[in-house]
Amino acid sequence: MKRKIRVFAFIMALMMLLGTMAACSSGGGGGSTTTQGNENPPAAATEPDNSNSGETPKTEEKDTITALLPPVTLEFQDRFEEIQKEFNKLYPNLTLKLEPASWDDMTQKLDTQVNAGNPPDLAFISSAAIAKYVQQGMLMDISDAATPEMFEDFDKAPLDYMRNGDGIYGFPAYMEVHAIGGNKKFMEDAGIDYKTVQKNGWTYEEFREAIKKGVVKDGNKTSRYGFVFATAGAATAKDYLSILAKNAGMPAAFDENLKFAYTSKNYLVLLKAIREMIDDGSMPKELSSIDAGKRWNMFLTGQTMITGKGLATFENLANKNNEKIKANDGSAVKDSIEVEYIVLPVPTFAGQKLQASTVVDGYVTFRGKKEPTPEHKANVVKAAYFLASGKIAALTNNDIFAAHITKSAKEAAASMETNRNPDNVAAVEFMLANATPARPDIPTDLGAKAIKIEDEVIVPKFQALLANEITPEQMYDAVKEAAVKAFGEDGIVKD
């Protein structure tokens, strides 16, 4: 009898132990009991249901997600505490730790952490930098961790910029168009139908005639130019040429057959056009010495009718300067005038179609030297989606007048006030619909060679062209020679 009692007691103890182990293992991370993004989780995730007497409620393991974030807008970093609280309210088991960085030290901070093998889970960087970190093996592919509902929330074009090969490495925050911007009054005085241009675009020939009309001269002195673009320094010169090249039938350094594109005859057509606008007086002869700050100052002080490159946020900057002028508080740009900023598409060259240049920045997902657990990976995805969608994205993009690229952000923004010009909103949407597609198919080795040619040949030759030290033909020949050397005769476009 005693033996039977001991056996029965042993069986009961074993059953209790197994029950306890099952209860512990059922609450792993990964968010299986919560919804994704900026939606409210099921009641069970925030208020466990204790109605089943004697049953221990399921819990999720605690986890911390780190993010290195620059001042995406003037107000963005001021919202960090609020953002962290909202995320924790949505996911009580998760902590979102936001580390601020300035734009100037963002790359250095990130690279220091990456090189130490301990990067943040998320970093706000350009999609153009994804290939670099993929090559270092420090990015986390989320294609198997994000839900279909997350991916479906995003517009396809900006989401594609987060791809590299077969992987997806985070969520885009915005797709900003590189446009140009005009002074509404000056364009109306010159008889330019800017509203038609906003809806349909314009050719180089139409654009050239328009900017000629914007020039104001007093004898031999020009008091207002038709068009000014910042080109001082390698980065701004590269921007100018790249933005125009996309609208001359060269949306990337390689065509769809992976042949180097800048040996096309259209490249020479473009270089000649750039020189023409300077030589006929529509643009300053000292264009090569104009930096971004001077370019914007010239626009606000009425020294140019159209400026570039123009971002959507420039409308907001112009509006704020107008308010300062009206308030007479002395903080407006010196000698500036009230300006109504009009968003305009870049002209097209050589009979090619509009292919708007864009920049896609976003929340890129990193990993350390060790493989992240599935639970942590899922939690990082939740944080990335939370930042890139819904109310957070709506507030961020409204601050900089950027277009909303998720359905959830568009819905959240519908109830938010903004003083954007509706014609400008429509113009940006038109350009986004004709945006340059992402090219995750370009191999990293080809991309590296193209960058080398750009840095060592294209940029210095282009700066010499702007300074009238060489001809368009001389620059074109130098680029072609370097391309043949790098890619061979069969690796370049011949048309």
Side-chain angles (χ1 to χ4, degrees):
M1 183 67 180
K2 289 182 179 180
R3 175 178 175 80
K4 289 182 179 180
I5 292 173
R6 285 198 297 270
V7 171
F8 178 74
F10 174 77
I11 292 172
M12 289 299 294
L14 181 61
M15 289 176 67
M16 290 176 67
L17 176 62
L18 291 173
T20 302
M21 291 172 64
C24 291
S25 64
S26 65
S32 59
T33 62
T34 62
T35 56
Q36 308 292 339
N38 299 350
E39 302 295 331
N40 292 325
T46 53
E47 299 176 4
D49 183 2
N50 296 316
S51 60
N52 296 325
S53 179
E55 193 173 299
T56 304
K58 293 181 180 180
T59 59
E60 292 187 314
E61 293 179 4
K62 292 188 178 297
D63 194 7
T64 297
I65 301 97
T66 58
L68 183 65
L69 307 177
V72 181
T73 75
L74 293 176
E75 295 83 7
F76 184 63
Q77 291 183 339
D78 293 337
R79 296 194 189 113
F80 276 9
E81 186 176 350
E82 177 188 348
I83 290 171
Q84 290 169 151
K85 285 181 179 178
E86 288 189 16
F87 183 75
N88 185 246
K89 183 179 179 181
L90 186 63
Y91 301 109
N93 63 307
L94 303 181
T95 298
L96 179 58
K97 184 179 179 183
L98 305 181
E99 179 186 352
S102 70
W103 283 114
D104 290 336
D105 63 9
M106 177 73 193
T107 300
Q108 183 178 355
K109 266 191 174 183
L110 179 60
D111 284 346
T112 298
Q113 295 177 28
V114 166
N115 293 335
N118 188 33
D121 295 308
L122 299 170
F124 188 94
I125 59 175
S126 169
S127 60
I130 287 177
K132 165 188 170 182
Y133 295 111
V134 167
Q135 206 167 22
Q136 294 177 354
M138 296 303 286
L139 290 193
M140 184 172 74
D141 179 8
I142 66 168
S143 56
D144 62 342
T147 66
E149 291 77 16
M150 289 180 182
F151 290 136
E152 289 166 6
D153 192 21
F154 289 86
D155 293 345
K156 183 179 184 300
L159 183 61
D160 283 347
Y161 273 84
M162 308 305 284
R163 299 178 187 274
N164 186 274
D166 295 328
I168 302 178
Y169 299 95
F171 294 118
Y174 52 67
M175 188 177 206
E176 181 70 282
V177 177
H178 287 156
I180 52 181
N183 179 311
K184 179 182 176 181
K185 183 180 184 304
F186 291 170
M187 290 193 294
E188 289 178 339
D189 291 345
I192 298 169
D193 183 4
Y194 69 85
K195 289 192 177 184
T196 296
V197 173
Q198 286 184 315
K199 294 175 182 176
N200 304 314
W202 46 3
T203 65
Y204 165 64
E205 291 74 21
E206 293 168 333
F207 177 73
R208 188 181 178 197
E209 289 305 310
I211 60 176
K212 282 181 181 178
K213 295 175 184 176
V215 176
V216 175
K217 300 188 72 171
D218 183 7
N220 293 325
K221 185 177 180 181
T222 301
S223 59
R224 185 204 303 158
Y225 291 95
F227 181 41
V228 170
F229 201 106
T231 61
T236 50
K238 189 187 301 186
D239 268 354
Y240 184 40
L241 185 55
S242 173
I243 290 167
L244 297 186
K246 286 174 171 56
N247 290 281
M250 295 164 284
F254 297 90
D255 69 4
E256 64 277 5
N257 297 314
L258 297 180
K259 293 184 183 293
F260 189 70
Y262 299 151
T263 53
S264 165
K265 62 183 179 183
N266 288 353
Y267 199 67
L268 179 57
V269 171
L270 175 61
L271 298 179
K272 289 180 177 179
I274 290 170
R275 241 346 296 173
E276 283 175 347
M277 290 185 284
I278 299 173
D279 293 339
D280 70 12
S282 297
M283 300 185 78
K285 293 192 183 301
E286 64 275 13
L287 187 68
S288 60
S289 65
I290 295 177
D291 61 19
K294 185 175 181 180
R295 165 280 315 260
W296 185 238
N297 183 280
M298 290 179 71
F299 183 73
L300 291 182
T301 55
Q303 296 179 65
T304 183
M305 179 177 69
I306 297 175
T307 189
K309 70 186 171 189
L311 302 172
T313 189
F314 286 8
E315 180 187 347
N316 196 24
L317 295 176
N319 290 345
K320 289 182 177 180
N321 194 67
N322 292 341
E323 291 169 4
K324 293 175 181 179
I325 293 173
K326 291 174 183 175
N328 196 28
D329 63 4
S331 61
V333 172
K334 185 180 178 182
D335 299 325
S336 59
I337 60 175
E338 290 188 38
V339 175
E340 188 168 351
Y341 185 90
I342 299 297
V343 175
L344 300 165
V346 172
T348 56
F349 298 81
Q352 299 299 307
K353 66 178 183 177
L354 174 67
Q355 296 195 70
S357 172
T358 58
V359 57
V360 178
D361 296 338
Y363 301 93
V364 176
T365 47
F366 283 78
R367 49 162 292 172
K369 292 180 178 179
K370 294 181 179 179
E371 183 70 24
T373 65
E375 292 80 11
H376 182 67
K377 189 173 182 178
N379 293 337
V380 172
V381 169
K382 290 176 185 176
Y385 180 65
F386 176 79
L387 293 168
S389 63
K391 187 180 86 169
I392 306 300
L395 286 168
T396 303
N397 288 356
N398 273 359
D399 285 344
I400 56 175
F401 282 26
H404 302 296
I405 59 170
T406 61
K407 299 181 186 73
S408 58
K410 290 171 186 174
E411 291 170 1
S415 59
M416 298 178 184
E417 290 187 8
T418 177
N419 62 341
R420 291 186 70 185
N421 182 328
D423 289 336
N424 286 347
V425 175
V428 170
E429 289 176 351
F430 165 68
M431 285 182 275
L432 286 176
N434 292 278
T436 306
R439 290 294 305 275
D441 62 304
I442 297 175
T444 53
D445 60 328
L446 288 186
K449 289 181 180 179
I451 291 172
K452 182 178 174 64
I453 292 175
E454 184 177 51
D455 291 342
E456 296 180 1
V457 182
I458 292 178
V459 170
K461 292 296 183 184
F462 185 56
Q463 289 175 317
L465 175 67
L466 293 173
N468 206 22
E469 296 170 355
I470 62 173
T471 66
E473 289 82 3
Q474 287 172 323
M475 176 175 171
Y476 176 75
D477 290 342
V479 173
K480 188 172 183 179
E481 181 182 350
V484 170
K485 185 176 180 180
F487 307 109
E489 289 284 352
D490 294 332
I492 64 171
V493 169
K494 295 179 180 178
D495 56 6

